[in-house]
Amino acid sequence: MARIIGSDLPNIPWQDKPDEERGVVWRYSDNPVIRRDAIPSSNSIFNSAVVPFKGRFAGVFRCDDTARHMDIHAGFSDDGFNWRIEDPVIAFEREDAEITSDYKYDPRVCWIEDRYYVTWCNGYHGPTIGMGYTTDFVRFHQMENTFLPPNRNGVMFPRKINGCYAMLSRPSDYGHTPFGDIFYSESPDLRFWGNHRHVMRTTDGWQSTKIGAGPIPIETDEGWLMIYHGVLTSCNGFVYSFGAALLDLEKPWKIIARSNPYIINPREIYELAGDVPNVTFPCAALVDKDSGKVAIYYGCADTVTGLVFGKIDEIVNWVKANKM
Amino acid sequence: MARIIGSDLPNIPWQDKPDEERGVVWRYSDNPVIRRDAIPSSNSIFNSAVVPFKGRFAGVFRCDDTARHMDIHAGFSDDGFNWRIEDPVIAFEREDAEITSDYKYDPRVCWIEDRYYVTWCNGYHGPTIGMGYTTDFVRFHQMENTFLPPNRNGVMFPRKINGCYAMLSRPSDYGHTPFGDIFYSESPDLRFWGNHRHVMRTTDGWQSTKIGAGPIPIETDEGWLMIYHGVLTSCNGFVYSFGAALLDLEKPWKIIARSNPYIINPREIYELAGDVPNVTFPCAALVDKDSGKVAIYYGCADTVTGLVFGKIDEIVNWVKANKM
Amino acid sequence: MARIIGSDLPNIPWQDKPDEERGVVWRYSDNPVIRRDAIPSSNSIFNSAVVPFKGRFAGVFRCDDTARHMDIHAGFSDDGFNWRIEDPVIAFEREDAEITSDYKYDPRVCWIEDRYYVTWCNGYHGPTIGMGYTTDFVRFHQMENTFLPPNRNGVMFPRKINGCYAMLSRPSDYGHTPFGDIFYSESPDLRFWGNHRHVMRTTDGWQSTKIGAGPIPIETDEGWLMIYHGVLTSCNGFVYSFGAALLDLEKPWKIIARSNPYIINPREIYELAGDVPNVTFPCAALVDKDSGKVAIYYGCADTVTGLVFGKIDEIVNWVKANKM
Amino acid sequence: MARIIGSDLPNIPWQDKPDEERGVVWRYSDNPVIRRDAIPSSNSIFNSAVVPFKGRFAGVFRCDDTARHMDIHAGFSDDGFNWRIEDPVIAFEREDAEITSDYKYDPRVCWIEDRYYVTWCNGYHGPTIGMGYTTDFVRFHQMENTFLPPNRNGVMFPRKINGCYAMLSRPSDYGHTPFGDIFYSESPDLRFWGNHRHVMRTTDGWQSTKIGAGPIPIETDEGWLMIYHGVLTSCNGFVYSFGAALLDLEKPWKIIARSNPYIINPREIYELAGDVPNVTFPCAALVDKDSGKVAIYYGCADTVTGLVFGKIDEIVNWVKANKM
Amino acid sequence: MARIIGSDLPNIPWQDKPDEERGVVWRYSDNPVIRRDAIPSSNSIFNSAVVPFKGRFAGVFRCDDTARHMDIHAGFSDDGFNWRIEDPVIAFEREDAEITSDYKYDPRVCWIEDRYYVTWCNGYHGPTIGMGYTTDFVRFHQMENTFLPPNRNGVMFPRKINGCYAMLSRPSDYGHTPFGDIFYSESPDLRFWGNHRHVMRTTDGWQSTKIGAGPIPIETDEGWLMIYHGVLTSCNGFVYSFGAALLDLEKPWKIIARSNPYIINPREIYELAGDVPNVTFPCAALVDKDSGKVAIYYGCADTVTGLVFGKIDEIVNWVKANKM
Amino acid sequence: MARIIGSDLPNIPWQDKPDEERGVVWRYSDNPVIRRDAIPSSNSIFNSAVVPFKGRFAGVFRCDDTARHMDIHAGFSDDGFNWRIEDPVIAFEREDAEITSDYKYDPRVCWIEDRYYVTWCNGYHGPTIGMGYTTDFVRFHQMENTFLPPNRNGVMFPRKINGCYAMLSRPSDYGHTPFGDIFYSESPDLRFWGNHRHVMRTTDGWQSTKIGAGPIPIETDEGWLMIYHGVLTSCNGFVYSFGAALLDLEKPWKIIARSNPYIINPREIYELAGDVPNVTFPCAALVDKDSGKVAIYYGCADTVTGLVFGKIDEIVNWVKANKM
């Protein structure tokens, strides 16, 4: 039985699995957990990242405003269900005045050693991976962009691997990219990156157009559990579902198992209709080592934020039982 | 008044027309008649074919699984409303080991002489028309593909015409084909096909992008009643509606009348939202000679199966009154 | 405080702003105000133009029939909420037999001096701006097309400017045009047009793909208030929202202020789902000089007609406060 | 036998038809008549317009510079073969400071009544028809653009028709437009334009993608002789050929005859290879009433200027004999 | 050493291999062997099929006329170098009045048993494989089209295989198709076709976009030698080269060897420039059993006809030595 | 007068400027300097890099073979005109077995400190920048790829800047990329890369679609002289020309001057016709400090290699005089 390598989180937001549920994860009964107009300026709040913070929870949230401009905001919660999101956007202190941001979206937050690192899709002559850090979710520092644009879905690993920081990302083009594999890169210092390795390519069905890492990978004794989204192109556009894979602990570009089915796909009306129909896009997961519980936050229809629950050991077993 | 040339089916599933209804057909009040998760492995069940079978009903169902792989399954029903679909996919006995199937979808079932012929979109170096037969919906035999790929929507006629088996089909490309007329082809033996004739081209409005035959054509004393789908391309993708046409009994590539309006278009939320929004796609019809009743099964949003009712003579009259 | 330059309309359809509403305009509580099947032949009724008429209201309505053919119909209402739409299409008397119409859609109606001018998208070897007039909404005269095709969204000003009639329009291509700026043109006689000026280009966010004038511009002492739609291209197609701008009274191609956010975007299920998901498209506004009230009619999902309310002075202030 | 309605031009540049020639026009033996680097700044000189001028010849020439910026230059010749082109671009005096030109290309020159009118493709928020005039080819005045963009190939008639100035044009999109019919428009004053009529649509073969008027139409007693280019799309891009049509003298949107074959297509190496391979694009014709001679200047491969010769009566007969 | 199974042809057109030549085939020194204007009406003559005929040679030639309409013509030659092509198009006697031809192009001619069968790309609601026969190249009979459109490059085998006639073809779409594999089909009677088998898919380099059979396959004791074209898509369009493969004698869909390099690619100016630059497209081969000589006729730049020479045994060895 | 910061190269290949030449560089009179079939296996030899080597010259050459597979070869020359290219491809010793190469093309060679570094477009799950080194052009070592794919045109600076190695590159997509700006990146160790800076974007005319660095930048006392290619998209495809820019010596992402015109564009038949028409693509430059001479090697039509000559001080002055 897979065990989480991590910390206890006894106050993880949680609902038990409904009797009739047959999936390996199940939706929060009061989804969407964050509504589109939770702050005065917002058109939509989705694709957002939450972490445990001082016994409670904090996060970085993608809020598109009513001009449909994309930016990220800090937010706080006592229970992981009820969120207070700051109306002003995060004002980063920039390390170098040249590292500009035309826009910011799809943040992830990752605690490594002594601080919370934030990565996001940063508009610098195209979308690339922006990076910064905070210790308090009040002051944020912006570092160098990690890669050349265009790139999206930059996701850190929560510890150094083989002495280097490690990141997953998906090279893209400048539009609604119709391709995208997941790659792995290393850095000794979070400034210079190299040793790029190909991790996973697109295959069939729900993951046939492009794929991208979602939450920070979850370390288990059986490998890194990577929740990732996949995109299928129907005659009416993209459909975003999500599945899971197990990656080798020391060589994360080696796949131990990858799920052939999805875990979650768009089914509920708040996932099927909205600014972008048919999107379920995971960006963060809370885990409790002791109980193996996991709570995954995911964007719905690029409009609101949803929440699903599961058990890590069950997900790991499901990935192995349903691998391609 | 048009009369069906066929058999009685006194237990045809049926609801009378609601008072307020102004269409020539009307929806089953408890649609969708088959839900997306009717079997454990299914993501969706739609575009499926049902026939009378031993005083009850049987059918071949398109069930995409949660990997979004497409395959077909057998199913049975006592009343045409409540269906028991087999969870395992149909395992065909193949006539020739080279006739492989990367996938199967959009089946039709047609009784001719002594057996049920099944046609479907078969993945053989692209989509083409796969063909097989069964007598019991338990054992199925796979025959040669009828045409070169890419082709879709192969629909048999229920008897020989001029001494040959006859099939309608729509040549396609390998993707979300933006064109497609209906053609007619003949075969002496269901192995070799020729005498290809053009039947109908795309026109305007709901049938401006592509068209394709739906259920097995219904023989009437006024001609073959062909229910067919048409596709319109909006700025947000394809919209699948369906209409009807009357074809000459002996030269079915000659059109007697073709409906200018659609009969059904996507209006209900289960037709407007789902894996592919805005799809109503008919694949099968049950008819009762005595009463003239027809029950049409159609896929909804590529996700669930719907059912509409009508009267053959009214539909025939409507086609003639609304012909283009 | 901006004042309308126009007429009183004490019987303007109206609902007060709900307490919880935070937008500058708010939806009618019983939207859609006109349903898709309000006349026997209609598939959908949307993108339509209403005006005060003899103490009551009249209008020209886009009704696509169930062949998905596009045409325009006259209609009448006592209160602006309940509409009686004529089932037959408007039969124009044509000035010149060569000015044909393959289709008509997206009408606007504008009172100038002594009659109601109707403009619409007219199918003459592609979409262009058709023009006609009526005095009674019973007899309609068709004039020359104003511009070469392809063009859409031709919107008259309600008075001569600098001695000329004036029109806004958006040059297009023949399909689902992925570009479109707003231009201004003048005519001494409504037959010959020139002095073309560029007014507004596409920018970012909700108005990044194309823009087009909506209702007849509303004259205020601070400038022409132009409600206009903007289109954003998501990976799943176009999203139509609408905003507002203030144009110079005498040189309307000069922008005084232009809203960075939208006023209304698709949020309700009748805006998010329908023949074309995610469309809110304004075509007409009723205004009451005395109270400053405005009632805007807009197409929803290319399927039904919606109604929103607001106050002109608040909208003008909002545009100035939220300009780009 | 068709007779030119016009002036004598005894010094028209000329070569007799070679014996082996079987076409209705024939190439100048020393083509290209103007080479790509005839002025210091030029990358290419093509698609240019020449006219008789004070017993000699003058013209307006499209010269792309080595930045590949497009502009027009004046030029002079004693014999129509040897040209002195001004290195500085034409500096227009503008009637209204708002009528800007991001670029100018593909000029035509037309004498009407008392001056030479120049039309060209003018960059004003996209390509449209710019217009100006000169009397001496030294000073040039820029008037209002005639139409909304995007439009190209605006060609004047050399006299008023039914009391109005008249122009042919081809509405376009903003890129390498894959469509284009020829329209006719009228103006009482060269400022306001209307009475738009469709003249010719694309058909098959060499004129299947788009068509556009070339030189100023030549008045004959059998109708206006319009030389026009047509475009075919091969798998390797556009191929520009040219043919001819006869238009009704008083209703020039009525076609008397239109050539099914082309007159000239790309065959010589200077037509097949260059900045844009496979282009022959006529922009001007000199005619001599007395002899019926015509000399057509045409752009070759968007790089150099070619010259072909013919006889008006033979061309008219050929059009009638080879009409579609 | 591979031996031809066929007939002697001592008067095969021939030139010995030049000393400096390093390819396995070499060009005729006076290419193009047929020029574009060999008949009065022609724009181009290419992609044409020649056969031995009564001790001399005959053929069917693709001649596009100067309207760029595509049709096929008969022609005769004493020596295979000098051709007399009939100016009138071939007037087929049609078996069934419904088998129409909007156009005909890219013919192949194949002697089987007692007559010359002609196949070509036939315009019947799109391009498909037209078929006919002649015995004298004067009278031609048109049979049923073999497949549903769209299809191109239908090439017969010169004898029955396993009791059936056999044909290679390439299913296509309606435009400049960007895909295309070679398939094999069988017919007992040249009317009905079936037993479709996939032969070869596109791979890399010169044969990465689409492939298609060229001349009638040449029977050798080592297999069918199939000369076939392949297409690479550069940023400036398609490049057509040709290579060769050996197919199993009794199961021709089984590949014995397939050449990784091309045999011929566009290099000479008549191959690089013309109506479609960068095309070398083989359609016919003459072979002499005794000497092993082969003369391949191929279209050049879709404009003229070229000729290359080789030795069958050397080509077979080269295919085996250079197989992929 | 700009002075080269570098070495003397008295035996630089050279021809004096012809009298009639008006460009700032001029072509070698015997171009193409390397022909397409200079080695037995080659289809084409172009886009290649040469350097001074032991008093003579060596280089790395792109040779596509007759399967149209792309790879790189070493070569040697005594005089820079006559080249002996190795027929076998370069067999790199790989640092890590996972750094595979599906293909290699468009090499550059740069001497830094103690060795020749080679960069090229390397096929590793898409095109990216491969890197290796040699000291003798016999043994080559392959290092880690510098960036994530897709990327092309990676060009080293010949010395460290601010303590880091520095590289220009152009992020791309996987096909015939229709976009592309030049970026600058730094590395402390040639393994990890960061501090990415945007250098130049596309503008108009010849450099409107994409741009990319060509030869190793040439250090002068007025800045780095960067020769770069630019691409214009005509209706018939891409046109590759080249120009020059001056970059700041210590902050090379700062542009001092950038040429508005091109230096060289496709004009000669070996540049206009070939595997890819209309390409001139510079990859290497030899310079002689003493005389200021420069010899630029460039690919022609993706088929052969050309050579042009110039003087560094004249080019620098020309860039400053013709800057945009």
Side-chain angles (χ1 to χ4, degrees), chain B residues 293-305:
Chain B
K293 291 175 181 169
V294 60
I296 303 169
Y297 292 80
Y298 68 106
C300 303
D302 275 19
T303 304
V304 295
T305 304

Side-chain angles (χ1 to χ4, degrees), chain A residues 37 39 43 66 176 238 274 277, chain C residues 22 233-234 236 260-262 265 278:
Chain A
D37 50 7
I39 59 173
N43 166 75
T66 56
H176 298 303
F238 286 170
Chain C
R22 73 186 196 208
T233 303
S234 88
N236 286 0
N260 188 34
Y262 57 72
N265 78 321
N278 285 1

Side-chain angles (χ1 to χ4, degrees), chain C residues 186-241:
Chain C
E186 294 181 343
S187 172
D189 53 11
L190 293 175
R191 174 180 292 273
F192 298 105
W193 294 83
N195 296 341
H196 310 292
R197 292 291 178 273
H198 184 261
V199 180
M200 273 176 28
R201 63 175 189 85
T202 55
T203 57
D204 296 311
W206 67 273
Q207 47 187 325
S208 52
T209 297
K210 53 183 172 180
I211 52 176
I216 304 305
I218 298 161
E219 192 168 8
T220 77
D221 55 3
E222 301 206 17
W224 294 102
L225 179 64
M226 176 179 68
I227 310 289
Y228 68 99
H229 70 262
V231 177
L232 174 154
T233 303
S234 88
C235 62
N236 286 0
F238 286 172
V239 178
Y240 283 78
S241 308

Side-chain angles (χ1 to χ4, degrees), chain A residues 32-81:
Chain A
V33 67
I34 305 175
R35 298 186 181 265
R36 67 186 301 170
D37 50 7
I39 59 173
S41 64
S42 64
N43 166 75
S44 47
I45 306 177
F46 58 109
N47 300 358
S48 301
V50 306
V51 286
F53 176 65
K54 295 188 179 174
R56 295 172 179 171
F57 301 95
V60 176
F61 297 83
R62 172 174 174 180
C63 301
D64 291 3
D65 68 21
T66 56
R68 299 293 302 267
H69 183 80
M70 304 172 287
D71 215 322
I72 56 178
H73 296 239
F76 302 90
S77 174
D78 291 345
D79 59 7
F81 292 116

Side-chain angles (χ1 to χ4, degrees), chain A residues 22 204-207 232-237 239 241 260-263 265-269 272-273 277-278 318, chain B residues 36-43 65-69 176 236-240 269 273-279:
Chain A
R22 74 186 194 209
D204 297 310
W206 68 273
Q207 48 188 325
L232 174 155
T233 303
S234 89
C235 61
N236 285 1
V239 178
S241 308
N260 188 35
Y262 57 72
I263 293 179
N265 78 320
R267 295 202 169 197
E268 302 298 325
I269 196 63
L272 294 170
N278 285 2
W318 177 89
Chain B
R36 68 187 302 172
D37 49 6
I39 58 172
S41 63
S42 65
N43 166 75
D65 67 21
T66 55
R68 299 293 301 266
H69 183 80
H176 298 303
N236 285 0
F238 287 170
V239 179
Y240 284 77
I269 196 64
D275 279 350
V276 183
N278 285 3
V279 179

Side-chain angles (χ1 to χ4, degrees), chain A residues 163-208:
Chain A
C164 277
Y165 295 96
M167 181 180 277
L168 300 168
S169 74
R170 180 180 70 198
S172 301
D173 69 15
Y174 289 94
H176 298 303
T177 314
F179 60 82
D181 290 358
I182 297 175
F183 286 78
Y184 173 88
S185 303
E186 295 181 342
S187 172
D189 53 11
L190 294 176
R191 174 180 292 273
F192 299 105
W193 292 83
N195 296 340
H196 310 291
R197 291 292 177 273
H198 184 261
V199 179
M200 271 176 30
R201 64 174 189 85
T202 55
T203 58
D204 297 310
W206 68 273
Q207 48 188 325
S208 53

Side-chain angles (χ1 to χ4, degrees), chain B residues 65-267:
Chain B
D65 67 21
T66 55
R68 299 293 301 266
H69 183 80
M70 305 173 285
D71 216 320
I72 56 179
H73 297 237
F76 303 90
S77 173
D78 291 345
D79 58 7
F81 292 116
N82 296 288
W83 286 90
R84 177 174 46 84
I85 297 172
E86 302 292 324
D87 197 45
V89 304
I90 294 174
F92 283 89
E93 297 164 8
R94 279 186 284 157
E95 202 161 282
D96 185 317
E98 295 200 27
I99 311 164
T100 52
S101 294
D102 294 336
Y103 46 78
K104 301 189 185 81
Y105 64 78
D106 293 358
R108 274 77 166 187
V109 179
C110 185
W111 173 265
I112 310 177
E113 296 167 354
D114 61 351
R115 68 192 75 185
Y116 297 96
Y117 288 96
V118 187
T119 55
W120 65 88
C121 185
N122 190 47
Y124 174 76
H125 301 280
T128 187
I129 309 306
M131 175 171 269
Y133 63 83
T134 187
T135 54
D136 56 9
F137 289 87
V138 175
R139 295 186 59 191
F140 290 81
H141 302 260
Q142 185 168 353
M143 304 153 71
E144 287 281 341
N145 296 317
T146 59
F147 303 124
L148 286 166
N151 200 315
R152 294 181 177 113
N153 293 300
V155 176
M156 295 290 296
F157 281 81
R159 64 164 171 85
K160 285 188 176 177
I161 298 174
N162 300 317
C164 277
Y165 295 95
M167 181 180 278
L168 300 169
S169 74
R170 180 179 72 198
S172 301
D173 70 14
Y174 291 93
H176 298 303
T177 314
F179 60 82
D181 290 359
I182 298 176
F183 287 78
Y184 173 89
S185 304
E186 294 180 343
S187 172
D189 53 9
L190 294 176
R191 173 180 293 272
F192 299 105
W193 293 83
N195 295 341
H196 310 292
R197 292 292 177 273
H198 184 261
V199 179
M200 274 177 28
R201 64 175 188 84
T202 56
T203 58
D204 295 312
W206 67 273
Q207 47 188 324
S208 53
T209 296
K210 53 182 171 180
I211 52 176
I216 302 306
I218 298 162
E219 191 167 9
T220 78
D221 54 4
E222 301 205 17
W224 294 103
L225 179 64
M226 176 179 68
I227 310 290
Y228 68 98
H229 70 263
V231 176
L232 175 154
T233 303
S234 88
C235 61
N236 285 0
F238 287 170
V239 179
Y240 284 77
S241 308
F242 60 91
L246 272 179
L247 307 180
D248 185 86
L249 283 177
E250 297 313 309
K251 293 188 173 180
W253 59 93
K254 303 288 190 188
I255 302 170
I256 297 167
R258 176 183 177 182
S259 75
N260 188 34
Y262 56 72
I263 294 179
I264 286 286
N265 79 321
R267 294 200 172 203

